[in-house]
Amino acid sequence: MTVLAADDGLSGPRTEEWLTAQRGLADLLGAEYRRTAPAGHLLMFDRPDAVASAVLDTSRGPD
């Protein structure tokens, strides 16, 4: 399982809170955490390469 966290590249408390929450979700789920930048709310539109990579890597399973 992978949690992709979209990072729009804007520094600030809201961005850091978001990324911290996403890392916490990954930890809770026992998932891999990937910070993906630059990307906004529609991560799959902004960074389809990162989404495809995460799907392919996850489907291969652990090394």
Side-chain angles (χ1 to χ4, degrees), residues 1 5 8 18 37 42 44 48 50 53 55 63:
M1 186 178 326
D8 60 11
W18 166 255
L42 294 175
M44 61 285 213
S53 176
V55 170
D63 294 332

Side-chain angles (χ1 to χ4, degrees), residues 25-59:
L25 176 61
D27 290 344
L28 180 67
L29 297 171
E32 179 184 355
Y33 170 81
R34 293 188 190 181
R35 184 174 177 166
T36 305
H41 181 73
L42 294 175
L43 178 64
M44 61 285 213
F45 179 76
D46 294 337
R47 293 292 309 275
D49 59 318
V51 175
S53 176
V55 170
L56 291 172
D57 292 347
T58 302
S59 66

